[in-house]
Structures are given as C-alpha cells and as structure tokens.
Amino acid sequence: MNSDSKYMSLAVSLAKRAWGQTSPNPMVGAVLVKNDKIIGRGYHRKAGDSHAEINAINSSKGDISGSTLFVTLEPCCTFGRTPPCTDAVMAAGIKRVVVGCLDPNPRHSGKGVAILKKAGIEVAVGIKEKECVELNEAFFHWITKGRPFVILKMAMTLDGKIATKDGKSKWITGSAARLRVQKLRQWADAIMVGAETARTDKPSLTVREFRKIKQPRRLIVSRKLTGKDALKLLCEGEKPEIINASCRQEWIRELKRLGREGVVSLLAEGGGELAASLLKAGMANKIEFHIAPKILGGRNSRTVVGGENPSSLAEAFNLKNTCVKKIGDDICVSGYPKAK
C-alpha cells in the first residue's frame, strides 16, 4: 500500500466514527501530513458542525504550510451552515490535496477541485475511491435521486423461513447478528416494516445499543391502518407513520416525499410481503440477509420473500457485488439488486 492509500484509509476510518450521526450530511474524514508525519486529523461529527478538513486543520500544532491534506470527499466550495472548506485549505498554505471522491451533486462536482488547482494547489482525485463512495452510498443516492437509499434486511433460516405459521420469529439469528441490526438502525434515518410484522412482532424499531443523536422515524406500510392503530402496535417512542405504497409509482411518490423531508437512509426490516413489494418495484437498493444455520420446515411457515408466484426462474432477482461473511454463528449475504 502506497502512502496516499495508507493515509486515505485512515481518513475513511475517521469518517466512520460518525456512523449514523451526520445525516443529512455525508460522513467525511481528513488527515493532514507533513514530512510523512501525521500532524492533524479530524472528521465531520454532525450536521451543522465543522467539516472534517477544518477539524483536521484545527487539531494540528505548529506550522502546517506545505502539508498534504487527505480527505474522503471533495472539499466544499460554497456557503452552507459553514463557510467553504476550499477557503480554509488555501488560507492554511496546504500545498497538496488528495481527494477520495468527488462531490456527487452535479452543481458542485469538480468545482472544489478546480478552485484549489487555480490557487496553485496540487490535487489528486480517486484515491481509495471505491471505499469513499461506499462510505456515503446513501448520501450519494439521495443527492442524485431525491429519495432515500433503502437497505432490505431480513433474518431467515437456512430453508428461507422468517417465522412459524402463526408468526413466531424470536429469535432466528444469534446475538451478534442482532447487534448488527442495531448498527444498521443507528445508520438509518427511518426504519420500515410491514403491517403484519408490526402486529406479530411489535418491534420497537429504535436504537438501543449505540449512540444516536435522534431516533429514526418509524414507518409501517399498510393500506388499512390509521395513525391511531399504528400507535397501538408500536407504543413506545415517537408516533409511527403510515406508508401507503405497493406499486413502483406509489413507492417513488412516498420515497420522494421522505427524501424531501431529509430522510437519506431507510432500513426495511420485513416481512415477506414488504420485501416482495420493494424488490418488484425496484426500490430495494441493497440487500442484507442474515441466515441462521437452522432449518425450520413447515409448508405454511412464513417465507422470507412473498408476493405473487413466479412462472420461471427468469423472474428471479439477481444480485451484483455480493459479499458473504460470518456474523457470529450466522451468515450474512449482501449485494445490490441488478436492474431489470
């Protein structure tokens, strides 16, 4: 690993310290290096606070002129809640900036880099780009599509069951996988379940194991439930909201609304009919299935993905960029559905 990659990897690690805390802003990390020694480091902690570049500059001691700045995302060049980071970089006398990936906003993309180059600063772009983009895949999707990035998370047995015939499902997966779910909830601005899952499981849909500045919004997908009914199903915490969607057009409408309201990341936790609806509508951006090494059986046990019966395997949803790893005794399979 060359030095640029090494320092960018550190910047990515710093950015992850703010996991689930920065929305609707991206997670960003920055490292200042001079004479091959780290002299400053920082990350964006939450929306409205100083950006990673500023925190890295402020953390440094001594003369930082002539240093190199490693930052996971292109420095901002416009006024928002904070002044442009490009101004601070130029004022600090930094001679080189290494950028993980460009700003996804078409109105801003490349402009920060252009400003720095015009000021005589050497700029390199695309170092550890894949990792930097993946770090903020939800933010990138929200900026470019105007709707939240949806992760469909399901827990299932080896034979594809999520519950018994009468809905009993505690616990399919082990404690390590359930802790992973808490980490996903920490990431999410909103958590969504189907009405049947809400009735049978009565999930809290809250973050209990990790720090969260604000609990995620709780959504129940139903055509029949009222807000009063939803409050009975999920009694603790903020009032649940009803989502009325089944076809692609309805899902786009509802997700666009949530996007306008600042929901960048959405976690869908089941059940099978909701999973089928999201997949069919093309609204599940990423899949994460937790598979327990147990076989439930039962022709009427509830299946992980419901919906209409396909007529052939050609109707299957294929994944790309798949990843398989162990979480405790369970297996996690993740990937991105291919467009049909």
Side-chain angles (χ1 to χ4, degrees), residues 129-149:
E129 184 174 28
K130 181 176 181 293
E131 291 88 338
C132 292
V133 169
E134 189 174 303
L135 175 69
N136 288 302
E137 59 187 356
F139 174 76
F140 277 43
H141 181 84
W142 177 66
I143 286 291
T144 57
K145 300 292 186 182
R147 57 180 190 259
F149 184 87

Side-chain angles (χ1 to χ4, degrees), residues 188-189 205-208 210 212-217 238:
D189 293 322
L205 304 186
T206 57
V207 180
R208 301 182 297 277
F210 300 101
K212 179 78 172 176
I213 292 174
K214 184 180 179 182
Q215 286 288 346
R217 291 167 64 171
E238 293 293 322

Side-chain angles (χ1 to χ4, degrees), residues 36-101:
D36 206 28
K37 291 184 179 180
I38 296 173
I39 60 171
R41 61 185 80 198
Y43 63 95
H44 182 47
R45 296 174 182 272
K46 65 178 181 178
D49 278 12
S50 299
H51 289 186
E53 301 94 319
I54 307 304
N55 288 333
I57 292 171
N58 291 341
S59 75
S60 63
K61 296 179 181 179
D63 182 18
I64 65 173
S65 62
S67 61
T68 297
L69 172 69
F70 295 84
V71 61
T72 56
L73 184 65
E74 178 181 11
C76 65
C77 60
T78 57
F79 279 89
R81 296 191 193 183
T82 59
C85 288
T86 49
D87 288 358
V89 170
M90 292 184 291
I94 292 168
K95 73 171 184 179
R96 182 171 181 251
V97 176
V98 181
V99 176
C101 59

Side-chain angles (χ1 to χ4, degrees), residues 146-148 150 251-259 266 283:
R147 57 180 190 259
V150 179
W251 274 116
I252 290 176
R253 180 198 67 212
E254 290 291 273
L255 293 177
K256 285 276 192 181
R257 175 182 64 79
L258 290 171
L266 194 160
M283 294 295 107

Side-chain angles (χ1 to χ4, degrees), residues 157-217:
T157 60
L158 200 58
D159 56 336
K161 308 298 184 182
I162 61 172
T164 61
K165 177 183 177 181
D166 55 0
K168 292 184 175 66
S169 62
K170 294 183 179 180
W171 294 103
I172 288 177
T173 52
S175 58
R178 296 199 296 276
L179 194 64
R180 167 61 180 167
V181 174
Q182 285 292 309
K183 199 70 177 173
L184 288 173
R185 288 184 179 185
Q186 183 190 31
W187 163 86
D189 293 322
I191 304 174
M192 179 168 64
V193 295
E196 185 60 23
T197 297
R199 289 190 195 94
T200 55
D201 290 356
K202 291 184 168 53
S204 67
L205 304 186
T206 57
V207 180
R208 301 182 297 277
E209 301 292 339
F210 300 101
R211 177 175 176 265
K212 179 78 172 176
I213 292 174
K214 184 180 179 182
Q215 286 288 346
R217 291 167 64 171

